[in-house]
Amino acid sequence: MLEVARIIGGGPLRGEVRATGAKNAALPLMAAALLTAGEITLRGVPDLSDVRFMAEILRHLGAEAAQLAPGTWRIRAAQVSHRTPYELVRKMRASVCLLGALVGRLARAEMALPGGCVIGPRPIDLHLRGLEALGCRVVLESGAVAVDAAGARGAEVDMGGPMGSTVLGTANLVMAASLTRGTTRVLNAAREPEISDLCDLLRKMGAKITGDGTTIIEVEGVDSLHGADHTIIADRIEAGTYLAAAAITDGDVTVAGAEAGHLAAFLGRMEAAGVRIESGPGFVRAAGRPSRGVNVATEAYPGFPTDLQAQFMAVQLTAPGVSTVAERVYPHRFMHVAELQRMGADIRLDGSVATVRGGKPLSGAPVMASDLRASAALILAGLAARGETWVQRLYHLDRGYERFEERLRSLGADVLRLPQSEMPSSLRSED
Ligand code: EPU
């Protein structure tokens, strides 16, 4: 059933929400469970459609994947097939991180090549180049990639690309190298906390990995890995989204469980805009509205995250003055701009740089979510707008935010999830 969100803008959000586990850690960690026949227990797993989808793919590959309790999953891959199901893999780009796990466990893998998506072209050339550097034979045929790792050995592998290092490419390399004979040095490794979380799980499974969190990760291959129990780190992007909601509504929101250190670039820009930020062990709090425009440029971690670009643009709309956004990770990730303009936003897009003239009144409008983070940004803008905002294609939101509207409501927002049939037909766009 298609659903929509109806937001009535107005009052400040106040109160506390607890961060869930990070989606972008959960997905590679679930894939890593394929590296062992032992039992992997993951805790703090967010309840998201992407997570359920990954579990379905794991089952197709022959693993048992069961949710034992809210947030707790048990995965056991006694047997694994090297062929990923085309129809499923095609639907979720993040499933590309199965490649490294299969190469590690079975020394071979077959996977449909992911296409581009609405945030722009998303090649996997660096993933494949990395596997080749390990000595894998990589063959592209009929839209699929086949990897044969029979001759693989530890090597020096550079994961840097024109847009910086690749996060899931680094995850793939580290997973494959964990069970590849010899020592692998990953240069220009992604430094994202989600990579460190993956390395933490792999170490619990018996892998020998050092250097994660820096640009050089060293992996000494071992013969086999075993079961482990691991709690996933808090979702920094989800936390940032709730903090943005506080700023947009001139509110006061505390995100419990959030790690300020993982959000330093974002919090720095919020403070520069005049939002009050307070943090301590296990919490981050944002209060008050932005008082001036600020410029941001997205970059790989520890830079400003591209996954908070759309939400921060919604904050910039409420800041008096001129702000700019330079998107340096996905130069085309601006689908939300046209929808925000429908709400009265003054944004000019010039290549990969958007100029926002903030502080002008926004008015509620029917808008269309194009991707996960854009849908969150539209809901945030709706909180700051006069009147009713309707967001269609809510399924994008459910890929990455657990019970988003319910949790916004707990902070005082007027947000409802409704069947699309309850949206006035005069406002509805064809889906
Ligand atoms: N790139 C290449 N070649 C490659 C791989 C990447 O040119 O082989 C380019 C990409 O096109 C992009 C840049 O390198 O311009 C960085 O892409 P990266 O590979 O790091 O992205 P990813 O690992 O596929 C993860 C997150 C994304 C997040 C990016 C960047 C997961 C499941 N996904 O994707 O999350 O935007 O890192 O931080 O971890 C989201 O959660 O909304 C989301 C899109």
Side-chain angles (χ1 to χ4, degrees):
M1 181 183 59
L2 284 174
E3 292 177 312
V4 297
R6 194 205 61 193
I7 305 108
I8 300 179
L13 300 200
R14 288 182 193 286
E16 182 176 306
V17 281
R18 175 157 284 279
T20 65
K23 166 184 85 91
N24 289 346
L27 299 175
L29 266 65
M30 291 173 82
L34 295 180
L35 287 164
T36 174
E39 193 172 289
I40 299 293
T41 304
L42 296 176
R43 302 177 194 276
V45 180
D47 186 19
L48 304 171
S49 59
D50 269 10
V51 163
R52 291 188 289 273
F53 204 69
M54 183 57 108
E56 203 182 322
I57 300 179
L58 295 180
R59 287 187 205 109
H60 264 82
L61 289 169
E64 290 165 40
Q67 191 174 10
L68 304 183
T72 306
W73 282 77
R74 188 184 56 208
I75 304 169
R76 196 187 176 95
Q79 304 286 336
V80 188
S81 155
H82 70 285
R83 271 207 192 97
T84 55
Y86 174 70
E87 277 309 313
L88 295 182
V89 164
R90 210 170 50 96
K91 287 189 191 148
M92 187 174 70
R93 224 201 141 274
S95 45
V96 70
C97 66
L98 291 162
L99 207 53
L102 292 176
V103 166
R105 174 77 182 269
L106 303 171
R108 63 181 179 151
E110 268 177 42
M111 177 178 277
L113 284 172
C117 67
V118 57
I119 68 177
R122 298 184 70 181
I124 61 162
D125 55 313
L126 300 172
H127 302 233
L128 302 183
R129 195 183 76 186
L131 291 171
E132 278 175 337
L134 281 190
C136 299
R137 221 165 67 83
V138 175
V139 179
L140 295 178
E141 207 173 63
S142 316
V145 56
V147 183
D148 175 354
R153 273 198 174 278
E156 193 152 288
V157 184
D158 188 343
M159 293 313 286
M163 314 308 283
S165 32
T166 157
V167 180
L168 291 179
T170 302
N172 267 333
L173 244 289
V174 169
M175 284 193 271
S178 291
L179 287 176
T180 297
R181 230 177 322 143
T183 301
T184 297
R185 268 163 68 83
V186 187
L187 309 182
N188 285 311
R191 284 184 283 169
E192 271 67 2
E194 292 76 15
I195 293 292
S196 298
D197 204 28
L198 171 65
C199 294
D200 282 342
L201 170 66
L202 292 172
R203 276 188 288 263
K204 287 182 188 169
M205 293 166 69
K208 293 196 171 148
I209 305 173
T210 53
D212 47 294
T214 75
T215 54
I216 302 181
I217 301 181
E218 212 166 275
V219 185
E220 197 186 317
V222 296
D223 289 337
S224 67
L225 296 174
H226 51 74
D229 190 313
H230 184 76
T231 301
I232 290 171
I233 55 167
D235 196 317
R236 60 196 168 102
I237 305 302
E238 184 208 35
T241 304
Y242 287 113
L243 298 171
I248 278 172
T249 60
D250 197 8
D252 185 345
V253 171
T254 298
V255 183
E259 177 71 58
H262 292 171
L263 277 164
F266 169 77
L267 297 177
R269 291 288 79 193
M270 290 273 276
E271 277 186 316
V275 180
R276 293 194 304 284
I277 300 290
E278 191 194 328
S279 66
F283 83 93
V284 183
R285 175 180 178 192
R289 65 166 65 244
S291 52
R292 53 191 169 268
V294 285
N295 301 338
V296 314
T298 66
E299 269 161 30
Y301 190 84
F304 190 98
T306 173
D307 292 343
L308 279 170
Q309 181 254 105
Q311 302 90 312
F312 193 72
M313 190 183 286
V315 174
Q316 289 171 316
L317 288 173
T318 62
V322 180
S323 300
T324 60
V325 181
E327 177 51 73
R328 297 201 179 131
V329 180
Y330 293 112
H332 305 286
R333 194 178 202 175
F334 283 115
M335 296 295 282
H336 43 285
V337 167
E339 300 303 304
L340 292 170
Q341 284 166 337
R342 291 165 57 81
M343 301 176 70
D346 184 344
I347 307 170
R348 211 192 61 222
L349 192 56
D350 188 5
S352 60
V353 178
T355 304
V356 177
R357 283 170 210 285
K360 302 185 177 174
L362 297 173
S363 58
V367 291
M368 190 68 92
S370 55
D371 68 86
L372 167 57
R373 306 304 171 189
S375 38
L378 294 174
I379 293 176
L380 296 192
L383 294 172
R386 245 179 308 115
E388 270 184 13
T389 295
W390 295 82
V391 182
Q392 268 181 269
R393 295 192 187 164
L394 214 51
Y395 52 87
H396 287 297
L397 184 79
D398 298 332
R399 290 191 36 224
Y401 291 92
E402 181 178 314
R403 294 181 291 116
F404 192 53
E405 73 292 342
E406 200 181 307
R407 299 169 83 213
L408 286 177
R409 264 203 313 275
S410 78
L411 298 171
D414 189 344
V415 187
L416 278 183
R417 175 187 290 263
L418 298 165
Q420 184 158 292
S421 53
E422 289 190 31
M423 180 176 177
S425 54
S426 57
L427 300 179
R428 232 181 281 162
S429 301
E430 282 309 310
D431 230 315

